[in-house]
Amino acid sequence: MRKKHPALVKLGKRIRELRKEKGFSQENFAYEVGLDRTYMGSVERGERNIAAINLIRIAKCLKVDVGELFPSIRTLQID
């Protein structure tokens, strides 16, 4: 199994937090966004390097700016 990149894990955690704040189950959220539930699960676990178009879809469904999906840059470490 590949090691999860810490930045993707934090991104996934942030998406999960926002989804839950908006009252979506993972299954309902995936449906509303137009993505597969298993794909959304892998995004939230930090297992996917998600495409920009999917980030836009997620942000639109959550009614937030795309930038709000990302954790603070000060907390990210990119290698």
Side-chain angles (χ1 to χ4, degrees), residues 8 11 15 35 39-40 43 48-55 58:
L8 296 177
L11 173 62
I15 290 170
L35 298 171
Y39 178 84
M40 278 309 308
V43 167
R48 298 242 180 207
N49 191 356
I50 186 169
I53 192 67
N54 290 336
L55 287 170
I58 289 168

Side-chain angles (χ1 to χ4, degrees), residues 8 11-12 15-16 19 26-27 29-31 33-58:
L8 296 177
L11 173 62
I15 290 170
R16 181 183 303 115
R19 171 181 62 78
Q26 191 178 76
E27 186 173 4
F29 184 65
Y31 176 80
V33 173
L35 298 171
D36 188 83
R37 180 193 53 80
T38 57
Y39 178 84
M40 278 309 308
S42 64
V43 167
E44 290 186 359
R45 291 188 300 273
E47 298 170 352
R48 298 242 180 207
N49 191 356
I50 186 169
I53 192 67
N54 290 336
L55 287 170
I56 293 167
R57 288 177 178 153
I58 289 168

